[in-house]
Amino acid sequence: MQIGMVGLGKMGANMVTRLLEHGHHVVAYDRSPDAVAACARGGATGATSLAELVAGVTERPRVIWIMVPSGAPTDQTIDDLLALLERGDIIVDGGNTNYKDGLAAYERAKSRGVSLVDAGTSGGVWGLREGYCLMVGGDDDAVARCEPIFTSLAPTDGYAHVGPAGAGHFSKMVHNGIEYGMLQAYGEGFEILEKSPFPFDLKQLASIWSHGSVVRSWLLELAVLAFHDDAKLEGIRGYVDDTGEGRWTVQAALDENVPAPVITLSLLARFASRQDESFSAKVIAALRNQFGGHAVQHEGKNA
């Protein structure tokens, strides 16, 4: 297929590469000319503006995927595209958009005859090699049109059309809320080990737990990498940011009268990490860097 990609950051650029490797033709645009040039060197067709990108996607209906920061940047990009696209065209929002904002954008697009598909996307900086888990919401015909793209980006069995408009972003929101709780549990467990009277090798424990243990997971495999790089995480400040999805998950739990103490407390623990140093926060910061390329703050440099 032919697809336009808007937003060539750490995930968008890797998605362009994966799509090219699967034989798709990608027209790529970013506000950074260097990012566009890098994708063009890899085989994409570079565009210097949204208008040029839309004009460069000649296959009808057009499919334009956006990977830009959530909130105002996403809304503005969608509205700018709606002024350029034609009836029947499709926008795929693969960012971490609040599902309520996504539903509002869906209605704006629908009024112009354009379909908006919300693709909850998980995989971080490892998605190029491992594939991206895709939770897709939207109208049946629009999703079906985009399915060759979804199956190329996702690993085997890693993509599903999970429901109507909004369902993709909602399920990704909850996915990230669960992630908050898992990260907190690992962080607390490794802190208990680190402060114990025993000289545990945390990398060793993370490694053996990754084989046959009931707590094995990809996050534990990433912990092995993190502890290999810095056995005591001494170079990482225990400051853990959040990008909104945990807050939205907690709000959804409140709206639905669902008790979600683990996810809620894991969010509050992130707030606490910005005030007091803790080893568990260092573990979480290191793991987020490993799986998503999220920036870490280094001791003595960010205080």
Side-chain angles (χ1 to χ4, degrees), residues 191-302:
E191 179 165 15
I192 294 168
L193 291 165
E194 192 267 340
K195 293 187 182 305
S196 78
F198 302 103
F200 288 116
D201 180 333
L202 301 184
K203 175 188 172 185
Q204 179 188 61
L205 282 174
S207 180
I208 64 171
W209 286 354
S210 296
H211 298 84
S213 164
V214 296
V215 298
R216 65 186 181 274
S217 73
W218 185 47
L219 289 176
L220 266 182
E221 295 173 22
L222 296 177
V224 174
L225 297 179
F227 289 129
H228 174 78
D229 294 339
D230 184 350
K232 294 292 186 179
L233 304 183
E234 292 173 340
I236 296 178
R237 185 181 174 208
Y239 181 104
V240 185
D241 210 343
D242 73 283
T243 52
E245 298 89 342
R247 301 179 188 221
W248 303 339
T249 305
V250 171
Q251 185 60 57
L254 294 172
D255 293 343
E256 298 166 3
N257 294 318
V258 174
V262 171
I263 294 174
T264 302
L265 289 175
S266 68
L267 174 64
L268 298 181
R270 293 196 177 195
F271 297 162
S273 79
R274 300 165 204 173
Q275 299 174 334
D276 301 309
E277 190 64 86
S278 74
F279 191 81
S280 63
K282 288 188 176 190
V283 173
I284 297 169
L287 290 178
R288 291 180 78 244
N289 176 257
Q290 290 289 336
F291 73 72
H294 300 289
V296 297
Q297 297 197 15
H298 296 279
E299 291 287 2
K301 295 182 179 180
N302 305 101

Side-chain angles (χ1 to χ4, degrees), residues 16 20 25-28 36 39-46:
V16 168
L20 291 169
H25 174 211
V26 182
V27 183
V36 175
C39 285
R41 287 193 295 272
T45 299

Side-chain angles (χ1 to χ4, degrees), residues 53-298:
L53 175 130
V54 170
V57 179
T58 58
E59 192 175 279
R60 299 293 193 276
R62 298 181 185 90
V63 177
I64 310 295
W65 189 302
I66 62 174
M67 287 296 291
V68 298
S70 61
T74 292
D75 283 339
Q76 187 62 58
T77 301
I78 290 173
D79 290 341
D80 290 346
L81 284 170
L82 290 177
L84 298 166
L85 295 174
E86 300 172 350
R87 297 186 68 85
D89 289 342
I90 302 168
I91 299 173
V92 180
D93 177 7
N96 284 324
T97 296
N98 185 302
Y99 80 98
K100 295 179 181 178
D101 294 338
L103 286 173
Y106 169 83
E107 292 298 336
R108 294 200 306 276
K110 185 176 181 180
S111 70
R112 303 289 290 268
V114 174
S115 296
L116 181 66
V117 172
D118 50 294
T121 305
S122 181
V125 295
W126 291 79
L128 173 59
R129 190 179 78 182
E130 304 291 339
Y132 299 89
C133 176
L134 297 174
M135 300 143 266
V136 178
D139 298 336
D140 292 347
D141 54 348
V143 173
R145 164 67 178 153
C146 300
E147 195 155 271
I149 296 168
F150 299 143
T151 55
S152 293
L153 288 172
T156 302
D157 298 327
Y159 146 72
H161 182 190
V162 298
H169 283 148
F170 191 93
S171 55
K172 176 56 163 50
M173 173 189 76
V174 176
H175 162 284
N176 282 25
I178 293 170
E179 174 192 302
Y180 277 43
M182 292 175 67
L183 288 171
Q184 188 64 31
Y186 283 131
E188 291 174 6
F190 280 111
E191 179 165 15
I192 294 168
L193 291 165
E194 192 267 340
K195 293 187 182 305
S196 78
F198 302 103
F200 288 116
D201 180 333
L202 301 184
K203 175 188 172 185
Q204 179 188 61
L205 282 174
S207 180
I208 64 171
W209 286 354
S210 296
H211 298 84
S213 164
V214 296
V215 298
R216 65 186 181 274
S217 73
W218 185 47
L219 289 176
L220 266 182
E221 295 173 22
L222 296 177
V224 174
L225 297 179
F227 289 129
H228 174 78
D229 294 339
D230 184 350
K232 294 292 186 179
L233 304 183
E234 292 173 340
I236 296 178
R237 185 181 174 208
Y239 181 104
V240 185
D241 210 343
D242 73 283
T243 52
E245 298 89 342
R247 301 179 188 221
W248 303 339
T249 305
V250 171
Q251 185 60 57
L254 294 172
D255 293 343
E256 298 166 3
N257 294 318
V258 174
V262 171
I263 294 174
T264 302
L265 289 175
S266 68
L267 174 64
L268 298 181
R270 293 196 177 195
F271 297 162
S273 79
R274 300 165 204 173
Q275 299 174 334
D276 301 309
E277 190 64 86
S278 74
F279 191 81
S280 63
K282 288 188 176 190
V283 173
I284 297 169
L287 290 178
R288 291 180 78 244
N289 176 257
Q290 290 289 336
F291 73 72
H294 300 289
V296 297
Q297 297 197 15
H298 296 279

